[in-house]
Amino acid sequence: MMFAVAMTFIDQTIVSIAAPDIVRELELSASGMQWVINAYLLALAACFAVGGRLADLYGPRRIVVIGTLVFVIASVMCGCVPKGDVAQGWLIAFRAVQGFGAALLFPAALAVVVAVFPPERRGRALALFFGLSGALTAVGPLLGGWLTAAWTWRAVFWVNVPMAVIALILTAMAHIADRRRPGTLDLVGAGLMAAGMGLSVLGFQQSFIWGWDNPATWLCIAGGLVIIGYFVHYERGVRHPLIDLRVFKDRGFAVDSAVLFFAMLAFVPLFFFASVYAQVSLSASPNQAALFLLYVFAGFAIASQWGGRILDKTGARPALKIGGVLGCVGFALWAGELTNLNMHDQWPYAAMAGAGIGFILAPASTDAVNRAIGPSYGEVTGITQTVRNYAASVGMAVFGTMLTHVTRSNITSTLEARGLSSEEAHDAAHSVSSAITGSGDADPPSGTGPGSDQLREIVGAVQTDFAEANQWVFYGMAIALGIAFLFALLHPGGTVASAKEEHKEPAPAQMG
């Protein structure tokens, strides 16, 4: 099962490192590339609870197989995207199908793990399961960089084919029993969740194109949030809800979910923005950009193990607090170094930021699942994973809009200072910010006219402009981790065993 879910978590970040090559070959816009990444995350978030429910109704083994097949077929189609006008729509659509396949696969795989481990060993198994998922998310850019440099960016999708074949063989060899639970699928709830999440993220993602003064932007954001609010109201009256919201009555679970939300605003988007920054501002190759992100992974891997030990001994609260502080300080210091354009000077802050998230993800996810008292582990995981992936989608949308806006503004100012008219500077800045190639000094801007001539002469200044725009993004991530720390202060603390002891009803008095 761990091998099966490996594909789904690697795919959250592996595409980020190939983004400049994809944009250059398929002529996608910056917004279009962000949708390629976000379509996967959004489909995963919107359908995760559905996948968990289907695993309950039809058996986890069957859903694991179906999810794997859907995922790998969509991966092949992503790698076969044709050039031309259909490229952007094709890639976004099949990335969404990939996300749906992952949403089927992961909760079903988790249900298998829960079923085969006895309660006394389940906590350790879940900690390993969630720890691996976070580690694989960080490994994605490394694998993507190697495949892109050694072969083609299309290989970041095709690599899922051999992995899927091995996963299916291992699943068959494991002789997993399909245990079904009675109930029905809440189709109305699933539709409401997908509509609410999709509409709100659409508003955030398109805010730069439409403008914050455009009623369409606010209608999408507000409309999506209203639908999500109605979904919560609707679920309370359903006999077999898609998500059992009673679990939020546990204060520890509610805090874990909030901390995960703000940590994931930064975690998955970090790999996209840091990899594009490395390839644009530092003129790094895909392999070099992947090594740049290795600093983040190193801090994350060490902190994840440390955080797991803290969780076992004293509960999640200390790990969440440490992670919030480390992440906030690490991202803030890293943001201050981005304009130095020196990869080696940034590694301590990248490692610190990664460590902050490492202290949070596995402990918060494991603590939240272990606090499930009434609902099943699959239902509770459906909630936490929905929160995580929705937060990642929102982070991609908000930070992507911020990056494009500040980049365009900075480049426009730079070109105007070099003597271009406001109109010429704006047009040139628009072309750069809307189609980031990541080629750096090796491939200066092509074309004719004053704007292109000026850009070829001031590539260094444009690289600095883009680095300054990324500073806004990284400071935003620091704020997100700071808010996660504030929520961590509200955690009730204690181990899961002690928390469950508090929920036990007193034994009835004996007669006599």
Side-chain angles (χ1 to χ4, degrees):
M1 291 302 97
M2 291 169 68
F3 199 95
V5 301
M7 300 182 299
T8 70
F9 281 91
I10 289 175
D11 231 69
Q12 290 186 19
T13 53
I14 193 173
V15 180
S16 299
I17 206 72
D21 290 76
I22 296 174
V23 169
R24 180 169 57 247
E25 183 171 326
L26 300 182
E27 299 181 352
L28 307 182
S29 66
S31 175
M33 189 62 227
Q34 289 162 20
W35 270 116
V36 168
I37 295 175
N38 231 349
Y40 178 87
L41 298 171
L42 193 54
L44 185 56
C47 301
F48 201 98
V50 174
R53 191 63 177 156
L54 289 174
D56 286 342
L57 295 176
Y58 299 104
R61 181 189 60 81
R62 181 176 301 177
I63 300 303
V64 164
V65 172
I66 293 173
T68 301
L69 291 174
V70 170
F71 186 88
V72 72
I73 291 172
S75 298
V76 171
M77 296 304 292
C78 285
C80 295
V81 55
K83 299 180 182 179
D85 295 338
V86 301
Q88 186 162 301
W90 176 296
L91 200 51
I92 291 172
F94 282 107
R95 282 287 286 170
V97 176
Q98 265 192 308
F100 175 69
L104 295 179
L105 172 58
F106 184 85
L110 179 71
V112 172
V113 174
V114 169
V116 299
F117 280 94
E120 62 271 14
R121 296 175 56 197
R122 194 171 291 158
R124 183 175 298 179
L126 289 174
L128 178 60
F129 197 81
F130 289 124
L132 175 74
S133 68
L136 289 173
T137 308
V139 166
L142 304 176
L143 181 60
W146 180 77
L147 288 171
T148 301
W151 189 10
T152 169
W153 61 263
R154 296 176 186 270
V156 303
F157 299 109
W158 292 337
V159 73
N160 291 324
V161 175
M163 295 181 68
V165 171
I166 296 173
L168 290 172
I169 292 173
L170 292 176
T171 302
M173 292 172 61
H175 301 293
I176 302 162
D178 262 344
R179 301 179 181 180
R180 304 185 184 185
R181 297 175 60 192
T184 58
L185 178 62
D186 179 14
L187 292 175
V188 175
L192 288 172
M193 176 180 286
M197 290 183 174
L199 199 59
S200 59
V201 171
L202 175 65
F204 285 120
Q205 185 86 48
Q206 298 296 105
S207 59
F208 178 70
I209 298 174
W210 295 343
W212 285 105
D213 57 346
N214 190 324
T217 301
W218 291 105
L219 281 174
C220 285
I221 296 173
L225 295 178
V226 167
I227 293 175
I228 291 173
Y230 180 72
F231 165 79
V232 172
H233 172 75
Y234 174 82
E235 291 294 282
R236 291 175 178 172
V238 180
R239 183 179 179 184
H240 297 291
L242 186 66
I243 292 178
D244 193 335
L245 299 173
R246 293 176 300 169
V247 72
F248 281 99
K249 293 180 180 179
D250 184 297
R251 181 179 170 186
F253 180 87
V255 171
D256 287 332
S257 299
V259 171
L260 282 171
F261 179 87
F262 286 101
M264 288 300 293
L265 281 176
F267 185 52
V268 173
L270 166 65
F271 292 99
F272 173 74
F273 294 112
S275 64
V276 175
Y277 160 78
Q279 294 180 67
V280 173
S281 291
L282 304 182
S283 298
S285 67
N287 264 335
Q288 291 171 326
L291 292 175
F292 178 59
L293 295 176
L294 186 60
Y295 300 136
V296 180
F297 171 65
F300 177 89
I302 295 172
S304 292
Q305 296 299 313
W306 197 352
R309 295 191 184 98
I310 294 175
L311 173 67
D312 291 338
K313 292 181 179 179
T314 61
R317 188 183 184 204
L320 302 187
K321 289 166 60 179
I322 293 171
V325 171
L326 268 181
C328 180
V329 174
F331 275 112
L333 293 175
W334 193 1
E337 287 291 326
L338 291 178
T339 53
N340 290 341
L341 304 185
N342 189 323
M343 184 183 299
H344 300 293
D345 290 345
Q346 299 178 28
W347 76 263
Y349 313 117
M352 186 183 297
I357 296 177
F359 271 113
I360 289 175
L361 288 194
S365 298
T366 305
D367 184 66
V369 172
N370 284 338
R371 286 177 179 273
I373 297 167
S376 71
Y377 280 88
E379 289 172 325
V380 173
T381 306
I383 297 174
T384 58
Q385 293 298 319
T386 298
V387 168
R388 286 177 57 158
N389 290 292
Y390 179 57
S393 297
V394 172
M396 278 295 304
V398 172
F399 292 136
T401 299
M402 183 187 302
L403 178 67
T404 307
H405 173 76
V406 179
T407 299
R408 186 175 299 181
S409 177
N410 288 353
I411 295 176
T412 299
S413 299
T414 297
L415 293 176
E416 286 178 346
R418 300 289 177 124
L420 265 68
S421 67
S422 296
E423 183 177 353
E424 291 171 335
H426 182 271
D427 289 343
H430 177 80
S431 65
V432 173
S433 61
S434 297
I436 299 170
T437 64
S439 52
D441 292 326
D443 187 15
S446 59
T448 58
S452 297
D453 293 339
Q454 285 282 358
L455 285 174
R456 276 190 287 270
E457 295 174 5
I458 59 166
V459 167
V462 170
Q463 289 175 316
T464 302
D465 288 338
F466 187 67
E468 290 176 353
N470 272 277
Q471 283 185 313
W472 286 72
V473 172
F474 279 61
Y475 280 129
M477 293 176 177
I479 292 172
L481 269 294
I483 296 174
F485 168 76
L486 296 178
F487 273 103
L489 296 177
L490 303 176
H491 198 283
T495 61
V496 172
S498 63
K500 289 191 174 183
E501 190 69 28
E502 294 176 1
H503 285 273
K504 286 184 178 180
E505 296 182 359
Q510 293 184 356
M511 300 294 290

